[in-house]
Amino acid sequence: MNDMSLVERRLVQDEIKITARDVQVFYGEKHAIKDVNVDILDKTVTAFIGPSGCGKSTFLRCINRMNDTIDICRVEGRIALDGEDIYDRRVDPVQLRAKVGMVFQKPNPFPKSIYDNVAYGPRIHGLARGRAELDEIVEKSLRGAALWNEVKDRLQEPGTGLSGGQQQRLCIARAVATAPEVLLMDEPCSALDPIATSQVEELIDQLRQEFSVVIVTHSMQQAARVSQKTAFFHLGNLVEYGETDDIFTNPQDPRTESYISGRIG
Amino acid sequence: MPVFWIVLIVLALAAAGYVLGQSRALTQVDGDARKLHSRPGYYGWNVAFSTALPALVLMVIWLFLQPAIIGNSVSSTISDDAIPEGQTRGIVLSEAAQIADKLSSAVSQGVLSRPEMMALRVDDADGMGRLKDAGLAVLTRPPVLGAAQQYLGMQRMGSIWLGILSLALAGTGFAWALMRTKPDFRARNVVERVMRGMLIACSSIAIATTLGIVLSLVFESIHFFRLYQWQHFFFGTEWTPSFGGGSKLGMLPLLWGTLYISVIALLFAVPIGLFAAIYMSEYASPRVRSVVKPAIEILAGIPTIVYGLFALVTVGPMIRDWIASPLGLGNSGSSVMTAGLVMGVMLVPFVSSLSDDIINAVPQSLRDGSLGLGSTRSETIRQVVLPAALPGIVGAVLLAASRAIGETMIVVLGAGAMAQISGNPFEAMTTITVKIVGQLTGDNDFASPETLVAFALGLTLFVLTLGLNIFALYIVRKYREQYE
Ligand SMILES: Nc1ncnc2c1ncn2[C@@H]1O[C@H](COP(=O)(O)OP(=O)(O)OP(=O)(O)O)[C@@H](O)[C@H]1O
Ligand SMILES: [Mg+2]
């Protein structure tokens, strides 16, 4: 009871978007996420960092229930979006994923035209009335993903024909076009060159105006540049979570310290 | 000397060559293998190949040519008046060959000695009697018996010479290769060249066979078109062959039947196969899939004649009694519909199995991407997975189509043998394949258009399915490139 009111109050104060309590994830027998508690704020960029295999992607995928698609995966605990348990029986994961969009590590454009790739979400969710409005959404999303100038003359060409970095920005545009409330990005820049990376980082900063963004990254510099909050995962545990500046300048946990100074990873 | 023994001796010599070549190479460098150009084994292989290959190649060519050469020279000894009225030289020759068979088994069973056999006469009561007692009775005329004896004599000579020549060749190769075995002899290069040659030869055999089939089809078809006008064949709408003459050999009714039945089969097989594939790859749990997939694939293992029986005995009467007759659309037990449906069942595993593989090859990341945007599973399948797999699925369908076009048994038993062009699917019709069989069963006279038309039909069919296959492979390959 006390707990509940605490959560309520913080929700008002800090506009908490996502609350995770005692989250456990199992792949079959393997315990991949252990006792994770975290509050992700609205209109904030939160970075997940940690060595490979520590469960960043796994936890990210819990937030939009993408883990449902993996047969052997089991999630326990409570994850709430705007105070509503997303693992509740009344919640349709399909609707949830429209609100919590996702950009994957590897670019995965559909074998369709660039235009249709971006228009995919809006069409499915009926976000546009008429062609003109759809055109507008597509253009806005592509501009947002810093791709418009490169593709505006070839919108009808297949999205798979773009370069790797362009494909990734296309996937970002695709996710943005669906107008999510939360955008989950799993290492979105791992296939990008420095110029495209900085464009995407700029984009992430803009997206913060409207969404809550969670980004998994292996680059400390990137986490420091784009995020306001940082969470450090290690071997399935959330070791430390706080203001990005604090984490990088004044880590509390020795594991965090050795990771960001490059001693474990 | 039987060929078997010659082969064995040659191989034994080659094996000895391997050992000798290797040890000779080693002794020349006092056992220090690193002073040799190639590893010692290659010197051994070089000797073995030089021994065996020329001899074996000679044997193959010899055995290939011998029957024709013997046949020709025997034929030239049969005078024209030894050929009875109403028979051809070919018939007399094949009679002689049959008698030769009997005589040689008589010799090998000890009924007659070889000189006795060669001296046998038609009026030799004792010899003929012994043959008869052994169950090898020979009833023939003197010239034929003479030809048979000549046949056997030449065969014997042939195999003696073959033995001598191939053993001589093997020995020469053996000696020559051993002499060439020197430390700086590039044995590995030689052996690898020979190996490559053998690999090429093997792959050429498949191509050569195909080419041979096509050429024989083309030549016989040319014969046919000399006897029968091509316009009438390709554009004729009547198929009424009669060996007495005055046949109409228009292929359109057959082509119509072929395409009609294939289309019905595909209309049945493609949706069912595709939906089965979607179920297996997208919805079924791995356990269900591991049962369902092989179960469907069992259908592909059923011989088509069994499907034919099913069409004849079950499906045909059922369609007639329940659909065709009540609707007044005909009362034939065999119909296009019967053959089409049963063939469709046969094709389901083709479509489903190939499509399943292709759908599975669509990367999971595409599904994740679509699901991650909040689309449902069925939206994902319809809008992302199927479009991505489409070229491959089209390829699968085309392969199924070329199977349908080439199918014979189901059509004979399911659709009958009546050549006609009709839109009513409950009537009996027939296909190109059935008529090819029809024209070639029974006594054949390879000079009449009624027989030769089978080759023209075969060529048409070949071109049709080849075109489909090439198109299908082209599409499938294009699809593969997309994700690799
Ligand atoms: N589909 C799966 N089936 C079984 N185990 C899995 C699966 N996906 C992940 N795991 C396991 O869960 C653990 C966490 O994996 P996860 O992908 O979340 O790591 P990560 O932090 O994202 O690593 P990286 O930085 O390399 O992407 C790993 O030990 C991994 O082996
Ligand atoms: Mg990951």
Side-chain angles (χ1 to χ4, degrees):
Chain A
M1 190 60 219
N2 227 348
D3 246 24
M4 200 59 195
S5 61
L6 199 74
V7 172
E8 297 283 62
R9 206 168 53 237
R10 290 193 56 180
L11 194 101
V12 176
Q13 284 176 351
D14 297 320
E15 282 187 277
I16 294 173
K17 189 72 184 170
I18 298 162
T19 328
R21 287 291 170 270
D22 299 329
V23 176
Q24 321 278 344
V25 181
F26 301 87
Y27 289 111
E29 290 296 296
K30 190 181 156 56
H31 199 169
I33 291 287
K34 301 162 191 158
D35 292 323
V36 169
N37 290 286
V38 68
D39 290 323
I40 290 168
L41 303 181
D42 200 7
K43 308 217 191 312
T44 309
V45 177
T46 307
F48 286 179
I49 58 172
S52 190
C54 66
K56 305 178 296 290
S57 302
T58 301
F59 184 67
L60 200 68
R61 290 164 60 93
C62 290
I63 301 176
N64 67 347
R65 292 187 60 175
M66 277 305 281
N67 282 332
D68 290 15
T69 61
I70 300 174
D71 288 331
I72 57 168
C73 183
R74 208 171 79 243
V75 180
E76 286 172 10
R78 185 185 140 94
I79 298 178
L81 178 72
D82 292 331
E84 216 180 311
D85 186 355
I86 62 168
Y87 281 88
D88 192 278
R89 287 172 43 107
R90 279 168 309 182
V91 174
D92 182 358
V94 171
Q95 296 293 356
L96 172 72
R97 289 180 202 138
K99 283 195 268 181
V100 185
M102 186 154 197
V103 175
F104 297 82
Q105 179 167 3
K106 232 181 88 199
N108 54 354
F110 302 139
K112 297 169 178 291
S113 72
I114 294 171
Y115 184 95
D116 289 339
N117 260 284
V118 182
Y120 185 81
R123 277 189 180 134
I124 281 182
H125 300 293
L127 298 184
R129 274 156 312 186
R131 178 82 192 192
E133 204 170 326
L134 192 60
D135 286 348
E136 204 175 299
I137 295 178
V138 169
E139 180 175 344
K140 189 166 152 258
S141 311
L142 283 171
R143 277 191 196 285
L147 191 61
W148 175 253
N149 286 331
E150 286 156 71
V151 301
K152 62 171 182 268
D153 302 321
R154 44 191 281 211
L155 290 176
Q156 294 312 320
E157 282 173 36
T160 41
L162 296 172
S163 78
Q166 290 173 326
Q167 288 186 9
Q168 186 64 308
R169 280 178 281 152
L170 179 63
C171 294
I172 294 175
R174 193 173 71 185
V176 170
T178 315
E181 298 168 19
V182 179
L183 191 60
L184 308 175
M185 303 176 118
D186 194 347
E187 297 178 47
C189 297
S190 60
L192 301 190
D193 69 11
I195 297 172
T197 301
S198 73
Q199 285 168 337
V200 170
E201 285 176 3
E202 214 168 283
L203 164 69
I204 292 173
D205 207 50
Q206 284 168 21
L207 295 177
R208 182 158 68 90
Q209 316 289 315
E210 297 163 63
F211 321 123
S212 161
V213 179
V214 183
I215 175 171
V216 171
T217 176
H218 276 153
S219 154
M220 302 303 135
Q221 292 88 337
Q222 183 170 54
R225 279 195 303 264
V226 298
S227 70
Q228 289 79 51
K229 290 276 202 174
T230 296
F232 172 65
F233 286 80
H234 187 242
L235 298 178
N237 295 302
L238 176 62
V239 173
E240 198 167 346
Y241 176 54
E243 298 291 327
T244 299
D245 293 340
D246 292 346
I247 297 269
F248 280 101
T249 53
N250 186 18
Q252 302 298 309
D253 195 286
R255 285 171 291 180
T256 317
E257 212 230 305
S258 37
Y259 181 68
I260 57 181
S261 58
R263 266 172 291 162
I264 54 173
Chain B
M1 189 170 3
V3 174
F4 175 74
W5 286 108
I6 307 176
V7 173
L8 218 59
I9 294 174
V10 168
L11 289 183
L13 202 59
Y18 176 80
V19 178
L20 279 180
Q22 193 166 349
S23 64
R24 184 178 154 93
L26 276 175
T27 34
Q28 284 183 344
V29 290
D30 304 320
D32 183 0
R34 267 180 295 180
K35 288 196 188 135
L36 291 171
H37 168 270
S38 315
R39 266 182 264 147
Y42 284 109
Y43 293 91
W45 278 116
N46 175 43
V47 179
F49 281 149
S50 309
T51 309
L53 281 185
L56 293 179
V57 169
L58 173 79
M59 269 185 255
V60 169
I61 295 176
W62 188 289
L63 292 177
F64 207 68
L65 294 182
Q66 177 168 301
I69 293 174
I70 293 182
N72 260 337
S73 67
V74 170
S75 160
S76 65
T77 62
I78 299 177
S79 61
D80 280 339
D81 31 289
I83 299 168
E85 195 72 25
Q87 285 192 5
T88 61
R89 188 169 285 272
I91 296 177
V92 175
L93 270 178
S94 66
E95 191 188 342
Q98 277 169 13
I99 291 172
D101 268 355
K102 282 190 183 168
L103 291 180
S104 72
S105 54
V107 171
S108 63
Q109 288 171 21
V111 179
L112 292 173
S113 70
R114 182 161 268 280
E116 274 174 333
M117 184 274 287
M118 291 307 278
L120 192 67
R121 290 284 161 268
V122 176
D123 48 9
D124 172 359
D126 171 51
M128 285 302 191
R130 275 200 272 163
L131 279 177
K132 197 171 169 193
D133 294 340
L136 295 165
V138 171
L139 283 177
T140 186
R141 298 167 295 117
V144 181
L145 182 62
Q149 284 161 333
Q150 193 194 352
Y151 218 90
L152 290 173
M154 287 186 71
Q155 259 176 9
R156 193 174 159 79
M157 285 305 288
S159 68
I160 290 173
W161 275 109
L162 173 61
I164 294 172
L165 284 182
S166 46
L167 289 184
L169 203 57
T172 318
F174 181 85
W176 180 64
L178 262 190
M179 258 163 50
R180 282 217 296 177
T181 304
K182 303 251 168 55
D184 57 354
F185 175 59
R186 293 150 63 88
R188 182 182 60 80
N189 308 41
V190 173
V191 168
E192 278 175 355
R193 219 174 304 139
V194 171
M195 285 304 294
R196 204 179 58 190
M198 293 206 299
L199 295 179
I200 291 175
C202 287
S203 56
S204 331
I205 285 177
I207 297 172
T209 319
T210 316
L211 213 66
I213 294 174
V214 175
L215 283 182
S216 81
L217 274 182
V218 169
F219 282 123
E220 298 294 347
S221 302
I222 290 174
H223 278 164
F224 170 70
F225 288 122
R226 284 219 191 94
L227 298 170
Y228 194 86
Q229 275 193 314
W230 63 271
Q231 296 96 325
H232 292 177
F233 173 71
F234 283 114
F235 304 115
T237 53
E238 257 182 87
W239 176 268
T240 49
S242 75
F243 278 90
S247 326
K248 292 209 166 119
L249 301 173
M251 69 154 211
L252 284 185
L254 310 183
L255 188 65
W256 170 255
T258 303
L259 295 182
Y260 202 170
I261 293 176
S262 304
V263 165
I264 291 181
L266 289 176
L267 283 181
F268 181 83
V270 170
I272 290 186
L274 195 55
F275 287 139
I278 290 175
Y279 169 69
M280 284 192 290
S281 56
E282 298 290 324
Y283 290 98
S285 69
R287 246 192 44 234
V288 173
R289 183 163 186 265
S290 69
V291 175
V292 173
K293 192 168 171 164
I296 294 182
E297 277 164 3
I298 285 178
L299 284 178
I302 299 177
T304 55
I305 185 79
V306 176
Y307 281 108
L309 288 177
F310 178 56
L312 183 72
V313 177
T314 314
V315 180
M318 218 160 75
I319 287 181
R320 180 191 57 201
D321 297 342
W322 292 1
I323 302 174
S325 297
L327 294 180
L329 289 172
N331 49 12
S332 145
S334 39
S335 65
V336 168
M337 193 51 104
T338 308
L341 288 183
V342 174
M343 201 191 282
V345 174
M346 178 195 82
L347 293 180
V348 164
F350 271 89
V351 178
S352 74
S353 193
L354 276 174
S355 306
D356 176 50
D357 292 344
I358 288 158
I359 291 176
N360 265 321
V362 173
Q364 181 62 31
S365 66
L366 284 186
R367 295 188 187 89
D368 285 349
S370 172
L371 293 173
L373 291 172
S375 58
T376 62
R377 217 188 236 198
S378 64
E379 280 165 343
T380 302
I381 293 168
R382 253 183 299 126
Q383 306 207 21
V384 176
V385 177
L386 286 186
L390 191 67
I393 292 173
V394 170
V397 170
L398 289 178
L399 288 180
S402 70
R403 276 253 349 176
I405 288 173
E407 176 52 40
T408 316
M409 278 307 161
I410 295 177
V411 185
V412 183
L413 295 177
M418 194 147 82
Q420 61 163 341
I421 299 184
S422 154
N424 182 351
F426 299 103
E427 274 179 40
M429 274 177 231
T430 196
T431 63
I432 296 179
T433 49
V434 172
K435 283 303 166 196
I436 293 179
V437 177
Q439 294 313 105
L440 290 181
T441 37
D443 280 333
N444 295 318
D445 173 6
F446 280 91
S448 74
E450 287 77 17
T451 301
L452 287 175
V453 71
F455 293 97
L457 288 174
L459 192 64
T460 313
L461 202 61
F462 176 78
V463 170
L464 214 63
T465 48
L466 183 75
L468 271 179
N469 273 319
I470 290 178
F471 189 49
L473 287 178
Y474 166 76
I475 285 182
V476 171
R477 184 165 310 161
K478 211 170 116 175
Y479 160 78
R480 286 226 180 93
E481 281 165 5
Q482 206 173 334
Y483 291 112
E484 276 169 10

